[in-house]
C-alpha cells in the first residue's frame, strides 16, 4: 500500500501518471498478475472480483443480474460520486460561501438517498439477494454524507429508513469495519486530504460549523458504543 501526499500533489507526478493518466486515486497495481494496472474505484472492484472471487461471493453469475450489477456500479460512479463530491467541495473547500450550490447538492444527496430507499423498501440488497460489490461501492460516500454533508437536524434514519438499515448492515460487516479502522489508524483523511493535504486529525481540530457538529455527534456515538 502506498499513501500519496496530496499536499505535495504526488498524485500529479509524472511517475504516478504513468500508472494513472487522470492523476487521481485509487490505482491498483496487481503484482500477482504481471503488474497489471487498474484505476477508477469500480473498475478495481470489478477486476478484483472477476479475477479473485472465483466462488462469486460478492458477484453474480446470472446474465441479467450481471447487467443489474453493472447498472448500479455505473449509477454510483455517475450519480453518487460526483454529487456527493460537489457537496463536499462547496461545503469545505470552495473559497467563497455559495449557499445555493450547497443547497442544490444537499438536495441531490437526498434525492439519491430517496432512490436507494425506494429500492430497499422492496429488497434487502441491490443485486442477487446478497451483498455484492455493487452494495460495497456506495459505503464510503454514504457514510461521509450521513455524518458530514447533510444538515445536522436531518435524520437519515427517519427520512430514509430502508437506506439506513442497508447502510447499517454494510457498516457491520467485519471487513468494512477493518477498512475503516485501518484508514483511521493511517490518519490520512483522504476525503479531505485529496484537496487540502489536511489529515483527519488536523481536520477534526480545525473544523467548524456543520463539520464540527458532525464530528462531535460521531464521537458521542462512538463513546456510547465503547461504553456498551
Amino acid at each position: 500500500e502506498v499513501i500519496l501526499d496530496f499536499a505535495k500533489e504526488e498524485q500529479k507526478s509524472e511517475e504516478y501518471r504513468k500508472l494513472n493518466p487522470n492523476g487521481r486515486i485509487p490505482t491498483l497495481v496487481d503484482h500477482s498478475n504481471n503488474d497489471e494496472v487498474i484505476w477508477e474505484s469500480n473498475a478495481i472492484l470489478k477486476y478484483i472480483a472477476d479475477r479473485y472471487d472465483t466462488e462469486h461471493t460478492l458477484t453474480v453469475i446470472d446474465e441479467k443480474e450481471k447487467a443489474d450489477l453493472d447498472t448500479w456500479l455505473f449509477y454510483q460512479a455517475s450519480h453518487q460520486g460526483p454529487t456527493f463530491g460537489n457537496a463536499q467541495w462547496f461545503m469545505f473547500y470552495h473559497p467563497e460561501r455559495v449557499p445555493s450550490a450547497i443547497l442544490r447538492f444537499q438536495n441531490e444527496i437526498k434525492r439519491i438517498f430517496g432512490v436507494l430507499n425506494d429500492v430497499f423498501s422492496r429488497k434487502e440488497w441491490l443485486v442477487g439477494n446478497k451483498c455484492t460489490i455493487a452494495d460495497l461501492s456506495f459505503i464510503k460516500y454514504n457514510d461521509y454524507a450521513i455524518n458530514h454533508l447533510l444538515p445536522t437536524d436531518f435524520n437519515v434514519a427517519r427520512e430514509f429508513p430502508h437506506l439506513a438499515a442497508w447502510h447499517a448492515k454494510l457498516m457491520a460487516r467485519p471487513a468494512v469495519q477493518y477498512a475503516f479502522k485501518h484508514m483511521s489508524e493511517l490518519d490520512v483523511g483522504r476525503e479531505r486530504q485529496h484537496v487540502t493535504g489536511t489529515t483527519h486529525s488536523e481536520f477534526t481540530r480545525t473544523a467548524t460549523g456543520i463539520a464540527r457538529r458532525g464530528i462531535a455527534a460521531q464521537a458521542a456515538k462512538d463513546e456510547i458504543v465503547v461504553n456498551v
Side-chain angles (χ1 to χ4, degrees):
E1 181 178 26
V2 177
I3 306 299
L4 300 177
D5 188 337
F6 296 108
K8 298 178 181 177
E9 293 195 338
E10 289 180 347
Q11 79 278 16
K12 304 296 184 183
S13 69
E14 182 178 353
E15 180 182 7
Y16 181 74
R17 290 181 68 182
K18 290 178 181 177
L19 301 174
N20 185 333
N22 197 38
R24 300 290 181 89
I25 63 166
T27 298
L28 172 70
V29 180
D30 186 358
H31 299 307
S32 299
N33 186 28
N34 300 313
D35 288 347
E36 180 75 22
V37 177
I38 310 293
W39 48 281
E40 288 295 310
S41 298
N42 290 346
I44 291 172
L45 281 177
K46 277 185 63 67
Y47 172 82
I48 292 174
D50 290 345
R51 183 169 180 82
Y52 296 105
D53 184 17
T54 57
E55 297 182 357
H56 299 283
T57 304
L58 295 171
T59 57
V60 290
I61 301 174
D62 178 78
E63 291 301 319
K64 172 62 169 63
E65 290 181 344
K66 285 182 179 180
D68 290 342
L69 188 147
D70 284 346
T71 297
W72 284 111
L73 288 177
F74 275 88
Y75 182 78
Q76 188 281 324
S78 61
H79 290 266
Q80 189 211 40
T83 296
F84 291 29
N86 275 303
Q88 179 184 22
W89 169 264
F90 280 104
M91 289 180 68
F92 301 120
Y93 305 125
H94 195 66
E96 298 176 357
R97 186 77 172 171
V98 186
S100 61
I102 293 173
L103 180 61
R104 165 173 167 70
F105 289 112
Q106 285 182 330
N107 285 339
E108 277 296 289
I109 290 173
K110 295 175 186 177
R111 184 190 68 78
I112 291 168
F113 275 3
V115 170
L116 293 167
N117 190 69
D118 183 58
V119 169
F120 292 118
S121 70
R122 301 186 299 273
K123 58 184 180 179
E124 185 176 4
W125 303 104
L126 287 174
V127 183
N129 296 317
K130 66 178 183 179
C131 179
T132 67
I133 59 173
D135 301 280
L136 298 179
S137 70
F138 284 87
I139 293 175
K140 188 63 179 75
Y141 248 144
N142 277 353
D143 190 69
Y144 188 70
I146 291 169
N147 289 301
H148 298 295
L149 298 181
L150 292 173
T152 54
D153 61 350
F154 187 84
N155 188 316
V156 173
R158 181 182 64 236
E159 300 297 330
F160 305 115
H162 306 297
L163 168 117
W166 168 65
H167 182 66
K169 284 184 293 186
L170 289 170
M171 292 297 290
R173 293 175 69 88
V176 174
Q177 293 182 350
Y178 170 82
F180 272 77
K181 183 174 184 292
H182 179 60
M183 293 304 297
S184 177
E185 290 172 349
L186 287 176
D187 196 29
V188 292
R190 291 183 182 181
E191 63 275 349
R192 293 163 294 276
Q193 190 186 18
H194 77 283
V195 174
T196 64
T198 303
T199 64
H200 182 80
S201 295
E202 179 65 13
F203 177 82
T204 300
R205 187 181 68 81
T206 61
T208 60
I210 292 174
R212 163 55 53 190
R213 293 195 295 275
I215 291 168
Q218 183 64 41
K221 183 169 66 175
D222 292 343
E223 183 177 353
I224 291 172
V225 172
V226 170
N227 288 341
V228 171

